[in-house]
Amino acid sequence: MVPYGWDQAWADEFVPYDAQGLVAGRVIRVDRGQCDVITADGVVRADTAFVTPHDPLRVVCTGDWVAVEPAGNPRYVRTYLPRRTAFVRSTSSKRSEGQILAANVDHAVVAVSLAAELDLGRVERFLALAWESGAQPVVVLTKADLVPDAVTLAHLVQDVETSAPGVPVLPVSAELGEGLDVLAAVISGGTSVLLGQSGAGKSTLANALLGEDVMEVQATRDVDGKGRHTTTTRNLLALPGGGVLIDTPGLRGVGLFDAGTGVGQVFSEIEELATECRFHDCAHVAEPGCAVLAAVDSGDLPERRLDSYRKLLRENQRIVAKTDARARAEIRREWKRKGAEGRAAMEVKRGRWM
């Protein structure tokens, strides 16, 4: 299992489950309450019924290391090992729930297509989630062969670099094989998750990195440069140069989920400027002595960056408030339930006494 990321630290975590006769493995695919698990003896199919709590963040996920029963029909996953990292977004329903997309990821590869106009705000959104997960983000500008002019391509890379401080930005053409060696070197030896909108070229990129057509690919539409949605599940695949890759379906909605630290990382220059504001609780709107607004006025900070920062902060604050409210409501319901049980028990006792 070493090619899939097994190391001594995971082995140490698994010791108590090994003593129970359970089998270690990594989840390579989850589908309708069951999952495929790669073990030392090959791939086994297992049921996740024992690890399906009400909290959607605690379900078995692609990338998890799990303890599986040694035999049985069906075989069951008994538990998963504590996650080192987890990529989480808010659900598309915009309720106060998170959805886990991948676990134990070292690199979050954000695929951005150059077949359409760059949406830097969306890039920043993906990066906030990536930083929050604990993984190292990498931005890959796919379909770079559609921008044949080197100067124009360099400007596009620079635009993304401005929006992605501390993040490698790599132009890649899977069609021509350009830039793949650099990307493969960056993500070798660990676990990477491939993220992006539908049509960003993720499946084509995954095939190029794998060296074979594992993922189905559909043609790009000429009218808007977008491909069709091809990947429907999250699959973990071993890379020939070392490391593993989790390919994900195209994400139409990328909602933040308690990603305050990630937002701060994406907009690190704004957070640094904020330390120089006159007021420690400066909202960077109209306050006197605001170092952030001064940077906008001087041209050192693009106004678009500040607008994006405010937008993501507001969104994150809303989801955190909803999550806290839901947690308080669940606690109140639990109190009421226990109170009702206590009253019922007292009624029974009174009936006996009488």
Side-chain angles (χ1 to χ4, degrees):
M1 295 185 296
V2 173
Y4 288 86
W6 186 256
D7 57 27
Q8 187 58 50
W10 288 121
D12 293 342
E13 289 275 5
F14 196 77
V15 166
Y17 305 108
D18 185 48
Q20 298 173 32
L22 297 175
V23 176
R26 192 167 196 190
V27 177
I28 60 175
R29 177 187 171 99
V30 178
D31 183 24
R32 299 179 181 178
Q34 292 191 317
C35 63
D36 293 334
V37 181
I38 183 73
T39 71
D41 295 324
V43 177
V44 301
R45 187 75 167 165
D47 196 297
T48 64
F50 283 104
V51 199
T52 309
H54 296 298
D55 186 347
L57 297 181
R58 297 181 183 275
V59 298
V60 172
C61 177
T62 302
D64 274 327
W65 285 99
V66 295
V68 185
E69 292 176 342
N73 188 17
R75 296 173 74 164
Y76 287 96
V77 172
R78 286 295 175 175
T79 189
Y80 61 81
L81 300 185
R83 293 162 177 158
R84 294 177 182 175
T85 63
F87 193 96
V88 179
R89 67 164 178 172
S90 65
T91 55
S92 56
S93 61
K94 298 187 178 180
R95 294 179 296 178
S96 56
E97 294 180 348
Q99 178 189 19
I100 183 164
L101 299 180
N104 302 312
V105 171
D106 301 297
H107 291 94
V109 180
V110 180
V112 180
S113 174
L114 291 179
E117 184 177 354
L118 281 177
D119 185 345
L120 296 177
R122 182 171 290 275
V123 173
E124 289 160 347
R125 179 180 292 272
F126 269 110
L127 291 176
L129 290 172
W131 280 122
E132 191 69 32
S133 75
Q136 166 66 50
V138 180
V139 176
V140 174
L141 302 181
T142 65
K143 308 178 185 179
D145 53 287
L146 299 180
V147 187
D149 182 66
V151 174
T152 302
L153 181 60
H155 283 308
L156 291 171
V157 171
Q158 187 175 26
D159 286 344
V160 178
E161 286 176 338
T162 301
S163 301
V167 176
V169 179
L170 309 175
V172 170
S173 170
E175 189 75 21
L176 302 178
E178 296 175 350
L180 289 173
D181 54 342
V182 177
L183 175 59
V186 170
I187 65 175
S188 65
T191 298
S192 301
V193 61
L194 189 52
L195 306 158
Q197 284 184 284
S198 297
K202 298 190 306 302
S203 294
T204 302
L205 182 60
N207 284 336
L209 290 169
L210 291 163
E212 55 183 319
D213 291 339
V214 175
M215 312 305 297
E216 181 186 358
V217 177
Q218 295 185 14
T220 302
R221 298 196 301 260
D222 291 335
V223 64
D224 57 7
K226 295 180 180 178
R228 295 186 178 89
H229 189 85
T230 55
T231 305
T232 57
T233 58
R234 290 177 282 278
N235 303 281
L236 187 148
L237 304 158
L239 295 169
V244 293
L245 179 70
I246 300 175
D247 193 19
T248 65
L251 302 176
R252 294 184 180 88
V254 193
L256 301 184
F257 186 80
D258 198 2
T261 301
V263 172
Q265 189 80 30
V266 176
F267 298 93
S268 56
E269 81 278 31
I270 296 179
E271 300 259 305
E272 186 174 347
L273 284 167
T275 62
E276 302 175 12
C277 292
R278 181 182 301 176
F279 304 108
H280 74 277
D281 58 349
C282 184
H284 321 307
V285 177
E287 295 87 346
C290 176
V292 174
L293 293 178
V296 172
D297 291 340
S298 67
D300 292 332
L301 176 67
E303 189 170 1
R304 187 208 64 79
R305 284 279 286 171
L306 180 56
D307 289 342
S308 183
Y309 175 66
R310 289 169 174 160
K311 179 181 179 180
L312 293 183
L313 272 186
R314 287 195 300 269
E315 179 182 329
N316 193 64
Q317 288 166 353
R318 282 197 300 271
I319 194 66
V320 169
K322 285 182 181 179
T323 303
D324 289 345
R326 187 184 65 163
R328 289 195 298 271
E330 289 178 350
I331 291 171
R332 284 196 296 270
R333 283 195 295 270
E334 183 66 11
W335 284 346
K336 288 180 180 179
R337 183 185 66 78
K338 289 182 177 179
E341 290 176 351
R343 287 192 296 273
M346 287 300 298
E347 290 296 328
V348 170
K349 288 182 178 179
R350 286 172 182 168
R352 290 173 179 170
W353 294 333
M354 296 174 64

